[in-house]
């Protein structure tokens, strides 16, 4: 699978030639995404070369069945507007992965993230044959938890002080989708 299409967006694997557009997207949204991303001390400065390294590592993760990273693109223009992933894929008794996504602030509220989450869930259950997807979102990030709920994820509870974001330990709602949820056509 290299590409999955929704009504107005598509997702596909990041490619090395996406590095400049991805660097621009990440730079443009640094302050916006900082509100929701985990804090990483001693994080290197973001450069185009570092983004190229990200893509190289993501390709290796794909080949090792450890993680699957996609760009989110507007169908009409092919503009890269975000990223979505299934990270920390773990086979065996867990047989699942963690969904994470980020969308350009200028494109919030248009249904793009919901489409992307549905497309990545389709990939997870139909291609990868995973049993479970997990996602976590801060209670204050109302737009993001609405995306998950519209996409068919179920809120399971609250993980207290789950991730350090901007120097503070933040609670996260725990969401999941099971292969049986997907098969039932809950989407």
């Amino acid at each position: 699978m290299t590409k999955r299409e929704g009504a107005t967006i598509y997702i596909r694997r990041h490619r090395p030639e996406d590095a400049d557009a991805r660097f621009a997207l990440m730079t443009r949204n640094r302050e916006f995404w900082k509100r929701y991303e985990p804090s990483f001390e001693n994080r290197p400065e973001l450069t185009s070369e570092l983004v190229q390294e990200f893509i190289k590592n993501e390709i290796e993760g794909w080949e090792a069945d450890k993680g699957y990273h996609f760009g989110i693109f507007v169908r009409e223009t092919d503009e890269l507007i975000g990223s979505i992933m299934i990270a920390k894929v773990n086979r065996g008794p867990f047989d699942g992965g963690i969904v994470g996504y980020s969308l350009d602030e200028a494109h919030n509220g248009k249904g793009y993230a919901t489409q992307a989450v549905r497309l990545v869930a389709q990939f997870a259950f139909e291609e990868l044959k995973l049993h479970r997807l997990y996602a976590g979102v801060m209670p204050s990030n109302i737009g993001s938890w609405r995306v998950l709920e519209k996409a068919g994820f179920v809120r399971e509870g609250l993980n207290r002080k789950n991730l350090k974001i901007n120097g503070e330990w933040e609670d996260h709602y725990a969401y999941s989708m099971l292969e049986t949820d997907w098969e039932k056509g809950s989407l």
Side-chain angles (χ1 to χ4, degrees), residues 50-135:
L50 185 60
V51 173
Q52 290 171 1
E53 187 68 24
F54 290 162
I55 293 172
K56 178 181 173 273
N57 292 337
E58 291 166 2
I59 291 169
E60 290 171 3
W62 188 293
E63 292 167 357
D65 190 32
K66 296 296 180 195
Y68 298 85
H69 291 74
F70 302 86
I72 304 170
F73 298 84
V74 176
R75 282 182 64 174
E76 199 171 282
T77 63
D78 293 319
E79 176 189 4
L80 175 65
I81 61 166
S83 295
I84 188 163
M85 66 179 162
I86 304 168
K88 300 187 186 288
V89 172
N90 192 337
R91 298 295 183 164
F94 180 71
D95 205 20
I98 300 171
V99 173
Y101 48 90
S102 54
L103 193 68
D104 190 324
E105 183 177 20
H107 291 282
N108 277 322
K110 299 178 182 178
Y112 296 157
T114 302
Q115 287 179 63
V117 170
R118 287 179 177 150
L119 292 170
V120 88
Q122 180 184 37
F123 173 74
F125 296 121
E126 294 180 7
E127 297 285 326
L128 300 179
K129 306 295 185 195
L130 293 179
H131 165 68
R132 174 185 169 89
L133 291 176
Y134 165 84

Side-chain angles (χ1 to χ4, degrees), residues 33-39 134 136-141 157-174:
W33 291 344
K34 185 178 176 182
R35 293 184 251 170
Y36 308 109
E37 289 183 349
S39 304
Y134 165 84
V137 62
M138 293 179 352
S140 63
N141 192 350
L158 182 72
N159 292 325
R160 299 178 313 131
K161 308 297 180 201
N162 190 51
L163 285 174
K164 192 180 254 188
I165 299 183
N166 288 317
E168 299 292 326
W169 287 102
E170 296 285 348
D171 296 344
H172 280 71
Y173 287 136

Side-chain angles (χ1 to χ4, degrees), residues 19-53:
D20 289 340
R22 191 165 172 197
F23 173 72
L25 174 72
M26 294 171 79
T27 301
R28 187 170 59 248
N29 286 279
R30 184 182 320 229
E31 288 304 311
F32 174 60
W33 291 344
K34 185 178 176 182
R35 293 184 251 170
Y36 308 109
E37 289 183 349
S39 304
F40 295 100
E41 277 71 33
N42 304 317
R43 192 181 225 178
E45 183 178 340
L46 184 65
T47 64
S48 184
E49 293 77 20
L50 185 60
V51 173
Q52 290 171 1
E53 187 68 24

